[in-house]
Amino acid sequence: MSPSQIWNAVLGEFEVKLNAHLYKTWMKDTALSCFENGQVVICVSSGFNKEWLEKKYHTDIVKTLEKVSGQPIQKITYRVEPMKNGQFVTPAEAPAAPNVAYVPAPLPERIEPKNPYGLNTRYTFDTFIVGKNNELAHAAARAICQRPGTAYNPLFIYGGVGLGKTHLLHAIGNEMLKSRPEARVLYVPCEKFTNDFINAVRAGSARDFKNNYRSVDVLLIDDIQFISTKTETQEEFFHTFNDLHAGERQIILSSDRPPKEISTLEDRLRSRLEWGMIADINTPDLETRVAILQTKCREKSFELPPEVMNHIAAAVSENIRELEGALNKIIASCQLHNQKPTLDAVKSIMTNIQQTTRRSVTPKEVIKTVCDFFDVTFEDIHGQSREKRFAHPRQIIMFLLRHDLGCSFPTIGAEIGGRDHTTAMHAHEKILTELERDAKLKQDMHTIKQVLYQKV
Amino acid sequence: MQFVATKNNFHKGLQIVSTIAQKNAHLPILNHVYISTEDKELKLVTTNLEIAVVAHVRAAVDTVGTFTVPAKTIFDYVNLLQGDNVECTLAENELKVKGGRSTTKIKGAPATDFPLIPPVEATKTFTVDPRELAVGLTQVVYAASHNEVRPELGGVLFSFNPEGISEMLILAATDSYRLAEKKIPVKGSGESARLIVPVRACMEVMRIIAALRGDDLAPTMDIHIGERQIKFVMEGVGLTSRLVDGSYPDYTQIIPQKFGTKAVVSRDQIINAVKAASLFSTTGINAVSLHIEAERKVLTVASMSTQLGEHTSEIEAEITGNEASIVLNFRYVLDALSTISAAQMELGVVSADAPCVVRGVGDDTVLAIIMPIRQ
C-alpha cells in the first residue's frame, strides 16, 4: 500500500467515527507524506491542526494506522506544510528528508509480525453471530474446521454486500490455525490471486507462483466473481484447484452470487465450484440484527436501551456494515453531545443516516431497472398481456413502488399502464408473501435493489 | 469554576477577544469564548483557526475550571449589566452570570471541544511601540490585495532589520496597482526576518491596540516569530496568527528614485479637489486626471463623465521640474492621502505611464506608490 492509500483508509475510519464537523475541520486537510519502518510523517495545514491531532487524536491515529497498515508505528511527526489547491507543497528551501544523523529507533519488543497468512485475527467464530440467515454457511464452516479437505470441498459461500462472507472466511482460517498451528493457510482476495499470477508470468517466475499456491493446506479466496475473463488466469486457477482438491486440501471461496450466475466463469470451472457445498448468507432477520447490535455494544462497552436497539435494527436491514456504521454514528453523536441515547435522540440521528445511505429514486428508475433485470420492455409492462414473464416483473415494480417509494396504490396503478388500484394491492401482497418463502425471489430482489440504489 | 471580576475589566477582556469568535459551519464552537480560571487567573480565548486572541483579566478566582459560551451573547450581556462586579459560576452546562440585581444562565459547551492554541516557539523576538505599530499598519494595510490568486499579497510584509538598516521594521503592502510602505523603529536581537502577516491579523492587532488606548495600553509590544507563526504580546493580551506562505515580491525596484516633476500641495486642499472630481468620474474606472503646470504654479485636478458632466479645480502648488500629466484612480489617491498625516503633501511624477509617489513633507517614514491609468 502506498502512503496515500494507507492514509485514505485511515481517513475513511475517522470519517465514520467522528462527527462530520470535526472530521472536516481536523482530518480532511491532512496527508501522509512519509511512511517507513514505523516512522510516520503527517502533513497538516495549520498549527491549530497540528496541536489538535497531537493532543487529541494521537492515540487513535496510531491505532488506526497500525490496523490499516498491519505494521507497528514507532513515531509520528506532525508537520505544518503550506497547501495549494488542496495539495501539500513542500517549499524548495525546506530541508530534504533528514538522511543525516538518522538513526532508526530500536524496535520495541511488542512487535507482532504481519500475519503471514493474510488473516485478520479480529475475525473469529466467537465474534460471528449466527442467525437463520447464515446458519448453513456457519455449520459448513465449522464442519470444515473439524475435517478439513474431506467434509465439504470446495465450500462456496455467497451472499450480498456486508453480510459476513469475508468474516466467515477469516474465521475458518483462524480456527484452523488454532487447532493446527503448523497448517499452511492462505487467504487472498481474488484480485491478489490474479495480480500475483500476472506478475509471476511477467517476471518469468511462474514456478514460484505454483509452489506458493499449490503447497498450502487451506486456500481461501475472497470475491471469486472478480476472476479475470482472461483464459490463462482461469486456467491457472483451474489447475491450482485440481491440484489442491486431488491432494484433499481444503478450498473455500466466496462470491456475491452463486456460481451459476457468474457469467465470466468457464463451464469446467463452474461445475467444479458447484462440486462440494454451496451455502448462502442472506440478510439477517430482526432478531439476529438485534443480537449483532448487542454484541457490538458490548465490544464498545456502550449501553443502549432495548427499544432503541430494536429501532436501529428495524431501520437498517440490508447490510451489517451499515448497521455497524449506524451504531458507530449514534455512539459518536451521543458522546459528542453528551446526551443519553433515548429513542427520540436516536431517531433524529437515524434520519440523517437514511438520507445519506439511500439514494432517492423515481418510479421511472424503478421501472427501468426492473425491466432491464428481467429483459422486458417498457411497453410489455404497460401492455395488457398477463403472461408470467411480464406479469412477474410488473408485480415486482408495483411492490417496490409501494414498499420502497411509498407511492399510493392508485398512483402505482396509473404508473403501470392505467391499472386499477386493487391490482397494485394484490401485487404488493403477493410479492410480500412470496418473499417469505421463495429464496430465488429474495435474491433477485436484493440484486435489483443493489442496482437501483447504487446507480450513479 | 467560579470567579468575580469588575464589570469594566471583564467587559474590556471580552471586547478584545470577541470579534474573532465568528460562526463557522464546520465547527460551531468557534463562535464561543473559552473561559479558564486555571492558574488562578481569568483567561479568555477565541480563535478562528487562523488567528487566536488571548486576554488575561484581573479577577478574584474562587474555584478553577474551564468552559466555553457564545462570545457575542456574553459580551452583549455584560455590557448591559448594572453594578460594579460580575460573578460567574459554572453549573453543569450553563454559566451563571450575576451582576447588580440580575442573574442569567448562559448555555455553553465543555472546553474539551475548543481548539487548542498552538504555542509559538519563538526563534526571534522583537519589541516595538504598539502606538507606532498601529499607526504604521493603518498607513499600509489598505493597499493589501483582496484577490486570492496571489495569497502572498493578501498580507502585510513585516521586514525586520532589512539588509544594512538596523533597528528598523519595514511594513509594506501592495495589490500590484498601488503600494504603501512604512518604517518604524524596532528593538531586539538585530537579526533580520522577513515574513507576511495576514491582513485580518493586522486589522485585529490595530483594533486591540485601539481598544486598549488610554491607561491600559502598555508601552511596549513583543513580537515573537516561530515557524509559520507570529505572536504579538502586550501586557495581558496575546494574538497568535499563522503566517502567509510564499515569498513577498521585491517591490523596492519599482519605487522611482528620480522624478521629472515634483509638486507640493496642501493636504486638505488636494483631498477636497480629488473628492470633488471623484463625483464626476466614470464609475468602475474611477479616473481623475492631474495636470501640473510649472509656470503657473498650479495643480489641476479634473474629471469627466459622459453621463454626469465634468469638473476642474486648481490648487496652488510649489513645483519643481517640468510640466506633467497623469491619470489616477481617485480611490487609491484618497486612501494614500487620508492615512498620511502631514500638512503638506508631495506628489512625485516620472511620466504618464510610470508609477507616481505620494508622501508627506517632512515625513520620510511613509510613502505610497500609485500606478497610473493608461490612456
Side-chain angles (χ1 to χ4, degrees):
Chain A
M1 273 172 112
S2 73
S4 70
Q5 281 173 319
I6 294 176
W7 194 241
N8 265 336
V10 173
L11 287 183
E13 299 245 346
F14 272 92
E15 193 166 12
V16 178
K17 237 182 333 200
L18 291 179
N19 152 307
H21 297 319
L22 292 174
Y23 174 77
K24 275 192 191 140
T25 316
W26 303 121
M27 293 302 291
K28 207 170 140 267
D29 294 332
T30 56
L32 198 61
S33 79
C34 168
F35 188 88
E36 259 170 26
N37 306 326
Q39 308 274 335
V40 180
V41 177
I42 294 170
C43 287
V44 296
S45 56
S46 73
F48 285 94
N49 210 165
K50 177 180 171 203
E51 200 66 12
W52 191 268
L53 295 193
E54 263 175 1
K55 300 275 161 66
K56 302 253 179 179
Y57 292 166
H58 182 73
T59 340
D60 277 349
I61 291 176
V62 172
K63 260 190 222 152
T64 321
L65 266 174
E66 286 187 338
K67 186 176 132 199
V68 169
S69 66
Q71 294 175 25
I73 306 297
Q74 292 162 20
K75 185 163 185 270
I76 297 188
T77 318
Y78 300 90
R79 205 160 60 198
V80 183
E81 300 246 321
M83 265 182 86
K84 216 171 212 174
N85 307 329
Q87 297 263 311
F88 285 97
V89 281
T90 314
E93 69 268 19
N99 43 13
V100 197
Y102 176 71
V103 186
L107 297 177
E109 282 165 39
R110 57 178 186 87
I111 293 188
E112 294 163 32
K114 189 182 179 215
N115 192 315
Y117 315 105
L119 291 171
N120 185 337
T121 44
R122 264 184 45 219
Y123 292 147
T124 61
F125 278 118
D126 299 335
T127 51
F128 191 84
I129 290 146
V130 189
K132 235 186 229 157
N133 58 314
N134 57 16
E135 58 189 2
L136 178 64
H138 178 256
R142 281 283 193 185
I144 281 175
C145 290
Q146 272 152 23
R147 290 180 295 136
T150 47
Y152 309 106
N153 202 11
L155 172 64
F156 190 99
I157 301 169
Y158 74 91
V161 196
L163 295 179
K165 300 186 295 290
T166 305
H167 188 152
L168 204 53
L169 250 54
H170 282 285
I172 295 173
N174 284 323
E175 183 73 20
M176 292 268 203
L177 282 174
K178 208 157 69 182
S179 53
R180 295 198 305 153
E182 78 288 354
R184 280 159 300 175
V185 176
L186 183 62
Y187 166 90
V188 284
C190 184
E191 196 207 358
K192 184 165 186 306
F193 180 87
T194 313
N195 287 346
D196 280 2
F197 177 65
I198 293 170
N199 289 339
V201 170
R202 193 180 295 146
S205 55
R207 185 185 294 272
D208 292 346
F209 175 85
K210 283 196 175 109
N211 285 343
N212 189 14
Y213 276 92
R214 296 188 192 182
S215 64
V216 298
D217 295 319
V218 181
L219 179 64
L220 304 136
I221 297 189
D222 208 352
D223 288 325
I224 191 74
Q225 76 272 14
F226 289 130
I227 192 155
S228 140
T229 46
K230 298 252 165 40
T231 40
E232 284 81 7
T233 317
Q234 290 212 8
E235 202 172 302
E236 184 54 39
F237 178 68
F238 173 77
H239 290 308
T240 308
F241 184 98
N242 278 352
D243 205 68
L244 292 175
H245 195 267
E248 293 205 333
R249 259 94 46 101
Q250 182 67 44
I251 301 162
I252 302 137
L253 306 153
S254 87
S255 162
D256 63 351
R257 63 203 107 147
K260 269 209 175 54
E261 290 176 22
I262 306 177
S263 52
T264 52
L265 226 49
E266 278 184 55
D267 285 343
R268 56 181 174 184
L269 206 48
R270 179 174 307 144
S271 74
R272 270 169 181 76
L273 297 189
E274 290 170 341
W275 198 348
M277 164 85 165
I278 299 181
D280 66 332
I281 298 189
N282 271 316
T283 46
D285 53 21
L286 187 68
E287 288 79 6
T288 316
R289 292 200 299 273
V290 173
I292 292 169
L293 283 176
Q294 278 166 348
T295 322
K296 294 285 171 202
C297 282
R298 214 173 305 133
E299 259 174 42
K300 297 175 200 291
S301 46
F302 187 82
E303 260 181 59
L304 275 182
E307 73 269 15
V308 172
M309 258 190 224
N310 277 328
H311 176 78
I312 304 171
V316 185
S317 59
E318 300 296 321
N319 185 326
I320 296 173
R321 239 178 249 139
E322 275 176 30
L323 193 66
E324 204 176 337
L327 180 67
N328 283 337
K329 188 163 177 186
I330 288 162
I331 294 178
S333 177
C334 290
Q335 283 172 348
L336 183 78
H337 297 118
N338 207 2
Q339 65 185 162
K340 284 220 170 68
T342 59
L343 193 55
D344 288 338
V346 167
K347 268 183 187 160
S348 78
I349 299 166
M350 296 284 291
T351 48
N352 295 338
I353 296 175
Q354 302 227 303
Q355 272 163 8
T356 50
T357 53
R358 276 253 159 133
R359 214 170 67 83
S360 68
V361 289
T362 61
K364 273 229 169 56
E365 281 172 293
V366 173
I367 296 174
K368 185 162 182 318
T369 311
V370 177
C371 284
D372 286 351
F373 185 83
F374 288 100
D375 195 21
V376 293
T377 66
F378 189 64
E379 285 71 34
D380 293 336
I381 297 296
H382 264 236
Q384 292 304 314
S385 167
R386 275 192 271 173
E387 263 181 76
K388 186 156 181 356
R389 67 192 179 100
F390 301 138
H392 184 60
R394 201 180 282 143
Q395 283 167 343
I396 288 183
I397 291 172
M398 291 194 266
F399 171 80
L400 281 172
L401 289 180
R402 176 70 191 166
H403 199 260
D404 280 39
L405 272 65
C407 298
S408 71
F409 287 123
T411 322
I412 296 169
E415 284 286 344
I416 313 293
R419 288 182 155 73
D420 196 70
H421 72 277
T422 50
T423 317
M425 285 167 74
H426 169 71
H428 178 242
E429 210 142 285
K430 183 169 170 218
I431 298 290
L432 203 58
T433 43
E434 271 182 21
L435 271 179
E436 294 283 303
R437 52 191 174 80
D438 188 345
K440 169 93 172 45
L441 179 65
K442 212 168 169 179
Q443 185 71 31
D444 285 352
M445 192 65 87
H446 193 74
T447 321
I448 291 172
K449 282 188 183 175
Q450 256 179 20
V451 176
L452 192 60
Y453 292 116
Q454 279 166 12
K455 253 189 218 166
V456 183
Chain B
M1 180 175 76
Q2 189 172 14
F3 63 86
V4 185
T6 66
K7 184 196 150 188
N8 276 347
N9 284 349
F10 195 35
H11 184 252
K12 193 137 228 180
L14 288 170
Q15 187 192 359
I16 284 164
V17 299
S18 62
T19 41
I20 280 292
Q22 273 167 6
K23 273 220 169 88
N24 180 299
H26 291 336
L27 212 59
I29 201 164
L30 290 186
N31 72 4
H32 285 209
V33 52
Y34 169 93
I35 303 174
S36 157
T37 55
E38 275 163 11
D39 312 325
K40 285 285 181 181
E41 60 157 9
L42 176 57
K43 190 168 90 170
L44 308 173
V45 185
T46 57
T47 176
N48 62 5
L49 296 188
E50 271 200 359
I51 302 167
V53 183
V54 181
H56 301 270
V57 178
R58 279 196 303 276
V61 175
D62 283 342
T63 49
V64 297
T66 53
F67 197 56
T68 77
V69 288
K72 195 171 176 332
T73 314
I74 187 162
F75 175 54
D76 289 349
Y77 177 69
V78 170
N79 194 21
L80 295 172
L81 276 179
Q82 305 289 322
D84 293 338
N85 290 340
V86 183
E87 187 188 337
C88 294
T89 317
L90 177 63
E92 285 199 32
N93 59 350
E94 287 170 337
L95 185 70
K96 254 167 96 176
V97 184
K98 227 168 104 181
R101 296 171 70 181
S102 51
T103 344
T104 184
K105 286 177 183 171
I106 302 177
K107 283 214 187 330
T112 46
D113 296 343
F114 197 80
L116 303 164
I117 310 303
V120 177
E121 282 152 25
T123 52
K124 292 168 187 170
T125 300
F126 301 96
T127 310
V128 294
D129 179 343
R131 288 172 189 81
E132 278 173 348
L133 182 67
V135 171
L137 286 174
T138 324
Q139 288 176 333
V140 300
V141 78
Y142 68 86
S145 168
H146 300 292
N147 191 335
E148 281 169 18
V149 178
R150 294 186 64 184
E152 69 270 22
L153 298 188
V156 173
L157 172 73
F158 278 58
S159 179
F160 295 92
N161 303 323
E163 276 174 64
I165 317 169
S166 61
E167 305 227 315
M168 179 178 289
L169 165 60
I170 295 185
L171 305 169
T174 177
D175 61 3
S176 74
Y177 300 106
R178 35 77 179 271
L179 180 145
E181 190 200 60
K182 170 77 177 179
K183 296 170 180 147
I184 63 172
V186 64
K187 293 207 172 62
S189 55
E191 290 165 291
S192 291
R194 198 176 158 89
L195 36 103
I196 310 168
V197 182
V199 166
R200 181 76 205 270
C202 294
M203 301 285 231
E204 275 309 306
V205 170
M206 286 156 61
R207 199 188 55 75
I208 291 169
I209 294 171
L212 291 174
R213 270 262 147 97
D215 40 37
D216 284 344
L217 187 59
T220 59
M221 172 190 250
D222 286 341
I223 302 178
H224 301 284
I225 294 158
E227 203 191 345
R228 297 180 208 289
Q229 288 199 97
I230 189 167
K231 188 169 186 186
F232 299 88
V233 184
M234 276 185 295
E235 210 179 280
V237 184
L239 180 143
T240 310
S241 169
R242 74 173 174 97
L243 292 172
V244 179
D245 292 308
S247 62
Y248 208 79
D250 179 20
Y251 64 90
T252 46
Q253 56 196 357
I254 67 154
I255 301 177
Q257 300 300 331
K258 283 184 183 165
F259 301 96
T261 315
K262 273 190 186 177
V264 174
V265 293
S266 141
R267 178 169 175 259
D268 294 344
Q269 281 183 24
I270 190 170
I271 289 182
N272 244 330
V274 174
K275 276 186 181 166
S278 73
L279 299 175
F280 299 95
S281 72
T282 314
T283 350
I285 301 173
N286 297 344
V288 296
S289 61
L290 306 182
H291 186 67
I292 302 167
E293 284 178 74
E295 276 178 23
R296 285 179 56 216
K297 293 197 171 181
V298 286
L299 169 69
T300 314
V301 182
S303 64
M304 197 183 86
S305 153
T306 40
Q307 269 138 39
L308 297 164
E310 50 183 281
H311 165 87
T312 314
S313 56
E314 290 184 349
I315 313 166
E316 275 176 39
E318 280 173 43
I319 294 165
T320 47
N322 310 321
E323 195 167 316
S325 290
I326 193 164
V327 181
L328 299 172
N329 184 326
F330 75 81
R331 282 189 193 287
Y332 295 174
V333 178
L334 287 178
D335 280 344
L337 290 173
S338 58
T339 51
I340 302 174
S341 52
Q344 300 275 303
M345 301 298 288
E346 182 190 274
L347 184 70
V349 180
V350 181
S351 76
D353 339 295
C356 71
V357 174
V358 178
R359 67 165 94 220
V361 174
D363 183 359
D364 287 340
T365 62
V366 59
L367 69 90
I369 295 170
I370 304 170
M371 279 298 284
I373 299 173
R374 294 214 177 105
Q375 293 298 294

